[in-house]
Amino acid sequence: MNQWKNFNKGFFRENAVFVLFLGLCPTLGVTTSVINGIGMGLATTFVLLMSNIVVTLAKSFIPDKVRIPSFIVIIASFVTVVELLMQAYLPGLFNELGLFIPLIVVNCLVLGRAEAFASKNTFTSSVFDALGMGFGFTMALFFLGGVREILGSGSFLGFKFISGDGILLFILAPGAFIALGYLIMIMNKINKKTA
Amino acid sequence: MAKKESTFSNMVISLSVITLTASIALGFVYELTKAPIAAAKYAAKMKAINEVLPAYNNLPNEEVYKIAVDNDTLYFYPAREDNKLVGTAIETFTKKGFSGNIKLMVGILPDGTINDIVVLEHKETPGLGDKMSKGKSDFSLQFHGKNPENFNLSIRKDGGDVDAITATTISSRAYCDAVKRAYNAYMKGGNK
């Protein structure tokens, strides 16, 4: 059950968005709707998982002084793979997210896990760490996208339940910060109770 | 497993191996996704043509003709209803974008009036330049139903009639440039 701990750590206790505040650029940028949030979350999870796997397998071949450039090359390659695959098979989603996909490279969450975890831990631990962090990130984007879509456009997953527009503020950038602030507050409340 | 020492040769070898592997892998994925990406782009183009033209019953894609402008080519897709020209969709471009080229599909009616415009491709800043896409802001709507004969296709800063997107002068200017290119080519013999 040791691996469960690695998973749970990223998913909840050290959630990238709500606790570590990593990767906020794509978080705030794409979460105008639920589907965007999930798409970005899953794309990041894939990159995180693949880069963690490769980094942990290659860790003994990479000299310390060039580890950061090596990690960046690995991460950037997987991001390009995601970009090409998404362009080929999910063109609709790519239209929405396309501009943000290259930003996964600079998402400090991915490099952070490669540097802080995968380069020091075993294969299985790294896989569970990546899955936990990735799904935690996806969950955070799902909630943030949900709140913003419900309040901002009065719909959920594209199904409208009010006529007319929602509160436009929540679709715009300030709404992202406001919604994120409240979600972090709720998260802290829950974390305090369980701790 | 002992960690490799950070000697010069070790660093060169490991970086070379990593970059070589990465480029081979990327080349492979690129080949794999080339055809589906082309198909997806084709579908998007067809959708854009439909969107910018009024109702028609011919096959604009089969009557496509090209006109060379500014060392590049514009593609014209004429739409007819019962053999009467009802509009032309023009695939136009600009090199003045904030980052990279912008491609637009502009629908022009036989008298030169702009019917509708769809953004095909762009690499502008998320949240700023991408507002030129329909649905992200009302920017593109101001072109609908305007005839460039009496609607100056430049942003107000440059003495024209177009309201630029706030904080996005360069992208707005580029957008106007692309539309203008399509209109000028159309008036110079594109309206077959």
Side-chain angles (χ1 to χ4, degrees):
Chain A
M1 282 297 99
N2 202 13
Q3 295 308 342
W4 171 246
K5 229 167 115 191
N6 273 332
F7 179 83
N8 195 35
K9 174 194 70 196
F11 191 70
F12 201 74
R13 213 160 36 78
E14 283 180 27
N15 186 290
V17 174
F18 292 142
V19 184
L20 298 180
F21 303 117
L22 286 178
L24 288 188
C25 167
T27 304
L28 297 171
V30 299
T31 51
T32 48
S33 72
V34 179
I35 199 74
N36 282 5
I38 296 175
M40 186 68 186
L42 291 181
T44 309
T45 306
F46 174 78
V47 172
L48 197 54
L49 180 64
M50 298 314 284
S51 66
N52 255 14
I53 287 174
V54 173
V55 166
T56 193
L57 289 177
K59 63 175 181 270
S60 52
F61 304 106
I62 300 174
D64 260 347
K65 277 189 183 162
V66 290
R67 67 184 194 286
I68 301 290
S70 310
F71 296 163
I72 289 288
V73 170
I74 293 167
I75 293 165
S77 307
F78 282 117
V79 170
T80 314
V81 168
V82 170
E83 193 178 2
L84 287 172
L85 288 178
M86 201 182 253
Q87 208 173 353
Y89 300 108
L90 300 163
L93 190 62
F94 182 78
N95 273 347
E96 286 292 320
L97 293 182
L99 294 167
F100 291 96
I101 297 293
L103 287 182
I104 299 177
V105 179
V106 292
N107 188 334
C108 33
L109 173 64
V110 184
L111 182 63
R113 293 331 286 174
E115 159 73 9
F117 199 91
S119 66
K120 300 190 178 89
N121 287 282
T122 60
F123 178 78
T124 8
S125 304
S126 300
V127 168
F128 279 94
D129 177 72
L131 288 176
M133 280 288 166
F135 286 129
F137 187 69
T138 310
M139 175 193 71
L141 261 60
F142 169 77
F143 279 120
L144 195 54
V147 170
R148 289 180 71 192
E149 193 181 340
I150 289 169
L151 294 175
S153 11
S155 60
F156 189 77
L157 281 168
F159 297 108
K160 268 189 107 63
F161 50 77
I162 59 159
S163 57
D165 291 333
I167 311 164
L168 186 65
L169 176 73
F170 279 94
I171 291 293
L172 301 174
F177 284 97
I178 296 169
L180 181 64
Y182 277 101
L183 284 175
I184 288 168
M185 185 186 78
I186 295 168
M187 194 74 181
N188 278 347
K189 193 108 190 159
I190 298 170
N191 269 353
K192 230 179 204 163
K193 258 185 203 153
T194 52
Chain B
M1 281 193 289
K3 198 104 177 158
K4 273 241 157 87
E5 288 289 323
S6 293
T7 59
F8 181 75
S9 58
N10 271 350
M11 290 196 280
V12 170
I13 291 169
S14 62
L15 273 186
S16 307
V17 169
I18 288 171
T19 43
L20 192 68
T21 321
S23 38
I24 291 171
L26 281 183
F28 180 71
V29 174
Y30 174 77
E31 283 299 323
L32 201 73
T33 53
K34 214 166 154 189
I37 288 177
K41 276 197 180 150
Y42 177 78
K45 196 170 83 182
M46 288 301 117
K47 203 172 146 260
I49 290 176
N50 267 327
E51 218 170 297
V52 298
L53 288 174
Y56 58 87
N57 56 13
N58 68 331
L59 294 166
N61 194 45
E62 291 187 357
E63 297 181 35
V64 62
Y65 54 93
K66 302 174 199 171
I67 290 182
V69 192
D70 302 335
N71 300 325
D72 216 322
T73 328
L74 297 188
Y75 294 88
F76 288 70
Y77 304 92
R80 297 172 216 280
E81 184 151 73
D82 305 328
N83 281 326
K84 204 177 141 283
L85 187 72
V86 289
T88 308
I90 304 168
E91 192 181 329
T92 178
F93 65 93
T94 179
K95 290 173 178 159
K96 292 187 180 158
F98 190 66
S99 42
N101 291 357
I102 301 173
K103 276 191 183 173
L104 303 178
M105 187 67 82
V106 181
I108 293 186
L109 301 180
D111 66 345
T113 308
I114 295 169
N115 188 47
D116 206 337
I117 302 172
V118 170
V119 178
L120 290 175
E121 266 176 48
H122 75 92
K123 294 192 171 72
E124 304 300 287
T125 323
L128 286 174
D130 68 342
K131 283 195 189 136
M132 66 189 172
S133 296
K134 230 199 267 179
K136 292 220 168 118
S137 82
D138 291 341
F139 173 73
S140 66
L141 303 182
Q142 62 182 313
F143 293 91
H144 295 181
K146 300 277 167 60
N147 191 329
E149 220 167 60
N150 44 38
F151 180 79
N152 189 346
L153 281 174
S154 299
I155 58 171
R156 283 193 198 282
K157 220 184 221 174
D158 302 341
D161 292 322
V162 177
D163 291 314
I165 306 167
T166 313
T168 315
T169 310
I170 294 175
S171 303
S172 310
R173 214 174 255 157
Y175 192 94
C176 293
D177 179 62
V179 178
K180 215 184 282 174
R181 178 164 291 125
Y183 175 76
N184 288 343
Y186 182 77
M187 282 321 198
K188 253 189 242 146
N191 49 345
K192 296 191 215 176

